[in-house]
Amino acid sequence: MIHVAPPAEGRIHEFTTKSGADTVEVGRLLARLLVPPQLLILRGDLGTGKTTLVKGIAQALDAAEPDEVTSPTFTLLHEYDGAQDGRPVKLFHLDVYRLEGERQLETLGLDELLTPDALVLVEWAKNSRASRRSPPAKSPSPPKAATPARSL
């Protein structure tokens, strides 16, 4: 079951799902709304399904099968070629959690990635070390198996 919260100011959407399959389905539905060039920030605690959401988006764009999409935690960037409405689309999936400063963030060249045919999906943009002014009070931990819902 998927619950979609109403948009805040028309720009932020929150989704609550009860399974990985639901989260992939939200990604497939979300892919229909994305129009290149577009930057999408994915926020949520560790284990909430940010990469799982990307799996659905990539599948909807015929860019990759869900099992081919992995988190770019250590590589920072994964690039996929897909199509939307018969037009080629570049799908860039970034995870910036491990970046240590603004200079590292700048070297990724986000501006250069936003070409007319690009969708850029960024995990941990708000929580990256580059954007934190002080360490969080508590480190995120993986959800317990009994957790009934995930919000992202």
Side-chain angles (χ1 to χ4, degrees):
M1 184 174 127
I2 301 168
H3 170 72
V4 180
E9 299 178 25
R11 305 187 109 194
I12 298 173
H13 298 272
E14 182 177 312
F15 301 94
T16 302
T17 62
K18 297 202 182 251
S19 70
D22 282 352
T23 306
V24 170
E25 181 60 25
V26 168
R28 285 193 288 260
L29 296 171
L30 184 59
R32 297 180 197 165
L33 304 175
L34 300 175
V35 179
Q38 191 159 22
L39 173 69
L40 182 66
I41 305 298
L42 306 175
R43 292 184 7 188
D45 290 335
L46 185 66
T48 56
K50 296 175 296 295
T51 297
T52 305
L53 183 76
V54 175
K55 290 174 184 265
I57 293 170
Q59 185 180 36
L61 298 172
D62 291 324
E65 288 301 314
D67 62 343
E68 298 172 327
V69 175
T70 59
S71 177
T73 301
F74 295 101
T75 58
L76 300 179
L77 171 68
H78 288 165
E79 180 180 342
Y80 305 95
D81 292 314
Q84 186 178 51
D85 298 326
R87 292 185 302 271
V89 172
K90 286 277 191 198
L91 179 63
F92 296 102
H93 178 202
L94 293 90
D95 184 329
V96 297
Y97 181 75
R98 296 193 180 280
L99 295 186
E100 304 254 344
E102 285 184 39
R103 178 168 239 172
Q104 285 184 334
L105 190 59
E106 289 171 9
T107 61
L108 283 178
L110 285 177
D111 291 338
E112 289 84 25
L113 295 178
L114 274 172
T115 58
D117 62 344
L119 296 172
V120 179
L121 313 179
V122 182
E123 293 189 32
W124 291 104
K126 184 176 182 182
N127 297 332
S128 73
R129 292 180 183 160
S131 65
R132 283 193 297 225
R133 292 175 192 224
S134 60
K138 178 177 151 185
S139 297
S141 58
K144 295 178 180 143
T147 302
R150 322 182 307 173
S151 292
L152 60 141

